Amino acid sequence: MPRAGQMGTVSVGRLTDRIGVGLLVRTFPPKLVDRVIADCGRTEQRSRLLPARTVLYYVLAMCLFSAESYREVARLLAHGLDWADQSPGAHWMPTTAAISRARAKLGSEPLKALFAAVARPRAPGARGGRRDGHLRWRAHALDAVVFGVPDSPENRGQFGPPVAGSPAQSAYPQVRLLTLSNWGTGVTSATFGPRAVATSTLAEGLLVGLKSSDLVLLCDCLTGRDPWPSVWGADRHLLWRAPSQTYLPVLSTLPDGSCLTEIPAAGRMAGAAGFPARLITGAARETGGLLTTALDPMASPVGPLAELHRERTAFGFCLRELGGQTPEAPGVVLRSRSPEGVEQELWAYLLIHHAVRSVLSRAEPPSPSPGAVGAP
């Protein structure tokens, strides 16, 4: 490998590494990347050794090869771009400082804009919609994941100090990433903030555009300490599993075997009336179980709802696929020592997730949508 700042010929790398970079180029073609960069005003006025397009691909590769050093990522990217039908030959080996400056100049906006350009729900009829004149729920999944960030003064100022009592990565400040996934498409929108910010506060902006025909499936890690289903349950169609210790009184039994129950309303005085919910599993125990705010058993039968929840888990919408973990067990620590760099990395991880799920969705055989739930 040449020293930093020298020219060098890219050596042969592993096929899997080349395929990984090729996947990035195929999913995010250079013309699309250039257009996004131009729209964000990041196009260079003169030729540079690290043009904006290369830097954007570098940030993606940095997350794809998260265990590698900055310079090793540069080597893998250069070789992968050659393999993806770029001109072969000598490549500039940038220094770590040059990479950091180029990342700062690019910023997070182009990656956010690229995500917005590609992460769109499938066309109507592919998943959800109406069938045989019956109303069907269009299913979405809401997930949360926590990343550690380097303990720099800038990150502490933005994300707060390390969380006391955290079972993992307690030495690092933490950022919570919240995503909304369209069934069968993958993540379509995302937001993030300090872990100390309540999940309900972060999710408000993600759910504002949903319609009355939408059903939101909550990740189990969202319904523990944070009582936000009881904050929004009266206004949105939700499906979630209540913690096992939650007391759920059975108020009445419906013809399909599900039960009406009542969830205590957050922020009210003890003993005040809550809002109604429907217990579709675990009714005999009166604790825990699968809950929904869709109360009409004719419009939302027990069987399809329960199956939808099982498939949601099997499809792996939980963002552990990104390398992060649940709030109770945080995952990887990002590289960036500034909030802008952290945001840049988070959008890059989401773009990597989109690229992988795009390949998986193309490989799936056509089948009836599991996201369409309604009366038979």
Side-chain angles (χ1 to χ4, degrees), residues 239-256:
L239 178 65
W240 77 100
R241 184 173 299 282
S244 58
Q245 69 275 15
T246 305
Y247 174 68
L248 300 171
V250 176
L251 303 181
S252 63
T253 302
L254 299 175
D256 66 344

Side-chain angles (χ1 to χ4, degrees), residues 67-147:
E68 305 294 346
S69 67
Y70 272 21
R71 294 196 57 232
E72 180 64 9
V73 171
R75 187 189 71 83
L76 294 172
L77 176 64
H79 187 65
L81 290 177
D82 277 346
W83 187 76
D85 202 23
Q86 300 290 325
S87 58
H91 288 264
W92 188 260
M93 296 302 295
T95 64
T96 300
I99 293 172
S100 297
R101 289 193 297 269
R103 285 187 57 199
K105 184 176 181 62
L106 179 69
S108 61
E109 186 180 356
L111 286 97
K112 181 179 180 180
L114 181 60
F115 179 81
V118 299
R120 296 176 179 176
R122 289 185 179 179
R127 297 275 179 170
R130 291 176 180 267
R131 181 179 300 170
D132 301 329
H134 297 290
L135 178 65
R136 303 272 179 158
W137 300 122
R138 186 177 62 171
H140 304 267
L142 192 69
D143 290 278
V145 66
V146 170
F147 289 90

Side-chain angles (χ1 to χ4, degrees), residues 221-369:
C221 67
L222 295 176
T223 58
R225 298 178 182 178
D226 189 352
W228 74 269
S230 65
V231 177
W232 288 345
D235 301 323
R236 294 174 173 89
H237 295 300
L238 307 177
L239 178 65
W240 77 100
R241 184 173 299 282
S244 58
Q245 69 275 15
T246 305
Y247 174 68
L248 300 171
V250 176
L251 303 181
S252 63
T253 302
L254 299 175
D256 66 344
S258 62
C259 302
L260 290 181
T261 185
E262 185 178 80
I263 306 298
R268 297 188 182 184
M269 297 177 57
F275 69 87
R278 188 162 148 244
L279 180 63
I280 63 176
T281 64
R285 294 185 297 125
E286 295 192 352
T287 57
L290 199 59
L291 290 166
T292 180
T293 55
L295 303 182
D296 185 356
M298 295 298 294
S300 51
V302 167
L305 284 178
E307 179 64 21
L308 184 61
H309 191 270
R310 285 192 295 269
E311 290 179 351
R312 179 225 193 284
T313 303
F315 278 125
F317 274 108
C318 185
L319 289 184
R320 295 178 186 179
E321 296 173 3
L322 289 178
Q325 294 294 322
T326 65
E328 287 72 28
V332 300
V333 178
L334 303 181
R335 303 178 188 240
S336 302
R337 301 184 62 82
S338 69
E340 178 73 8
V342 168
E343 181 175 356
Q344 186 185 69
E345 278 192 77
L346 290 175
W347 289 116
Y349 269 107
L350 289 168
L351 286 165
I352 295 295
H353 185 267
H354 172 82
V356 173
R357 289 209 60 88
S358 296
V359 172
L360 295 178
S361 65
R362 286 194 294 267
E364 291 175 359
S367 60
S369 168

Side-chain angles (χ1 to χ4, degrees), residues 180 189 202-211 214 216 232 236:
L180 188 67
S189 57
L202 285 177
E204 190 70 54
L206 294 181
L207 303 184
V208 66
L210 296 187
K211 302 177 181 179
D214 291 329
V216 181
W232 288 345
R236 294 174 173 89

